[in-house]
Each structure stands twice: as C-alpha cells, then as structure tokens.
C-alpha cells in the first residue's frame, strides 16, 4: 500500500511538471509551481526528484527500460534488426499513445532536445541504456558480453537511430510520422545489425568475425 501511494504521488508530480514545462518552457516553471499544481509541498517534491531536470529526463528514461524489456520478449529466432526496431517503436509509442499524450510527448521531447542541460542529461541516460541493451543482445545471441564488440555496436546503432527519429519528429513539429521514421532508420542500419559475428560464449576466440549472413551463403557463393 505504501509503495502504491508513493508511486501515485510520483506520477502526479511528473504529470504536473510535464504539463507545466510543455506549456510554459523549462526556465519559466519553478519547483514551487510544480508542487502546488500537484497538490503537495516543496519538501515532498524533493523526496521524489532532485531537480526539475530529473522530472523531465524520467519521462524518457523509462523508455530505456521499456526497450530492453521488449527486446527480451522478442522471439529468439528474430533477426536483431527486426527485434530492435520493434522494441524501440513499442517503447516510443507507449509514451505518446495514451489519449491527449501525443502533443505533450512532442513538447517534452522538444524541451529536452532544445535545452542544453536536459540534452546532456538525456545523453547520460542513453549511455546507460547502451550498456543494458548490449547485455541483453549478448545474452540473446550467446555472445561473450566482456569481449564481443557486436553487442555494444548494435546497441549504439539502435540508439543512434532512436535519437535521429526523435530529432526529425521534433524538428517537424510532429508532422512526420514517428513509425515511418523508425522504419526508415532501421531499414538503413539493418544490414549492419544483422551481420552478427559467430564468436560465442566460452569459445575463447575473439578473432572470428564471420557474420551469420556470411555463414549462410551456399558453398562457392563468394568465388568467381
């Protein structure tokens, strides 16, 4: 019960902050105003968030957890490009899909991308996501997490695509369709994402970089 109440207060603070920040801009909103809108004291605000920045970044930080959760749930036989595209899209859609949230989500994304302090915090979070996604990819593909390059590279490519989509969606003021942008971005990087090296856990071999696509070629396919 106590945990549920704590989550409800946190959600109310986040909702109040995001509405105010999206409407008035980051610098124009005070913590006192956020607390008053949520119906709590300033002291209560600081029990949940260290700053205004933390409230805003949390809006997208939850997406990092969502991306990894979605990736873990994808079928094992699915190509990495398909699994990652789906995981990124589901997480992005979740933040904007509820009724009335799409416009607010866009304003918050614009706020983050256009405010240097928030942009820096968002990039810090993306570094954390990269490690989480890399760990999930290594487990999914049976690659050595400490030695294989592929998981970090693939996670980095997926998050770069995600960032590029946010930039285009934000820059178009919501005119461009984020689903279409994600499809285009992942179509571009799919060949690299699906070139999974054959090195595996326990082999002790870090030099075998033959990709799965190469190994699937019929005999003599590469000779002329």
């Amino acid at each position: 019960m106590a945990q549920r109440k704590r989550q409800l207060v946190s959600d109310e603070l986040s909702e109040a902050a995001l509405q105010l920040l999206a409407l008035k801009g980051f610098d124009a909103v005070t913590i006192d105003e956020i607390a008053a809108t949520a119906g709590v004291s300033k002291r209560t605000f600081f029990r949940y968030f260290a700053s205004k920045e933390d409230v805003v970044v949390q809006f997208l930080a939850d997406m990092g957890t969502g991306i990894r959760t979605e990736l873990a749930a994808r079928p094992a036989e699915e190509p990495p490009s398909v699994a990652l595209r789906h995981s990124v899209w589901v997480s992005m859609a979740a933040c904007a899909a509820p009724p009335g949230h799409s416009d607010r989500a866009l304003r918050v994304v614009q706020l983050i991308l256009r405010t240097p302090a928030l942009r820096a915090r968002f990039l810090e979070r993306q570094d954390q996501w990269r490690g989480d996604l890399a760990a999930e990819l290594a487990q999914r593909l049976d690659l050595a997490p400490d030695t294989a390059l592929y998981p970090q590279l693939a996670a980095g490519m997926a998050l770069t695509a995600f960032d590029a989509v946010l930039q285009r969606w934000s820059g178009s003021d919501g005119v461009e369709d984020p689903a279409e942008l994600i499809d285009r971005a992942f179509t571009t990087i799919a060949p690299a994402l699906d070139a999974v090296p054959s090195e595996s856990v326990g082999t002790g071999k870090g030099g075998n970089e033959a990709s799965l696509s190469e190994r699937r070629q019929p005999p003599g396919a590469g000779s002329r």
Side-chain angles (χ1 to χ4, degrees):
M1 182 66 71
Q3 182 61 33
R4 184 163 178 249
K5 180 179 179 182
R6 182 176 177 81
Q7 186 60 52
L8 285 172
V9 174
S10 177
D11 291 345
E12 288 173 3
L13 278 168
S14 295
E15 184 69 19
L18 293 174
Q19 286 183 353
L20 287 170
L21 292 167
L23 179 66
K24 301 175 67 174
F26 184 75
D27 292 332
V29 176
T30 66
I31 291 175
D32 286 323
E33 190 175 4
I34 294 171
T37 301
V40 301
S41 68
K42 187 174 180 179
R43 178 178 296 181
T44 298
F45 174 91
F46 284 116
R47 288 195 193 122
Y48 292 86
F49 301 102
S51 64
K52 287 189 299 182
E53 290 92 336
D54 282 349
V55 181
V56 180
V57 173
Q58 187 64 40
F59 173 77
L60 288 175
D62 289 341
M63 294 177 66
T65 301
I67 293 172
R68 179 173 184 174
T69 300
E70 288 294 329
L71 180 60
R74 300 304 296 170
E77 68 277 7
E78 198 168 56
S81 63
V82 176
L84 285 165
R85 182 198 63 77
H86 176 87
S87 301
V88 168
W89 167 241
V90 168
S91 298
M92 184 170 178
C95 80
H101 281 217
S102 181
D103 184 65
R104 192 199 67 180
L106 174 64
R107 301 306 165 206
V108 174
V109 168
Q110 290 174 331
L111 188 70
I112 289 173
L113 297 182
R114 296 171 183 176
T115 307
L118 296 177
R119 176 69 172 159
R121 293 291 300 279
F122 181 46
L123 292 176
E124 287 176 10
R125 288 302 183 105
Q126 282 203 36
D127 282 340
Q128 297 174 14
W129 299 359
R130 186 177 295 105
D132 292 342
L133 279 180
E136 186 59 46
L137 284 166
Q139 180 177 353
R140 176 185 179 85
L141 298 169
D142 196 30
L143 295 172
D146 297 329
T147 59
L149 288 174
Y150 174 85
Q152 286 285 344
L153 292 171
M157 282 189 284
L159 291 175
T160 297
F162 168 68
D163 195 59
V165 167
L166 289 182
Q167 294 274 4
R168 285 289 295 271
W169 183 52
S170 169
S172 73
D173 206 24
V175 173
E176 294 201 58
D177 180 5
E180 181 183 348
L181 290 172
I182 285 176
D183 282 342
R184 287 166 56 191
F186 276 87
T187 296
T188 301
I189 64 176
L193 287 174
D194 292 337
V196 185
S198 59
E199 55 190 346
S200 61
V201 173
T203 61
K205 298 177 182 179
N208 187 355
E209 294 293 336
S211 70
L212 292 181
S213 59
E214 289 171 337
R215 289 187 291 150
R216 288 172 181 158
Q217 289 184 352
S223 61
R224 296 290 179 188

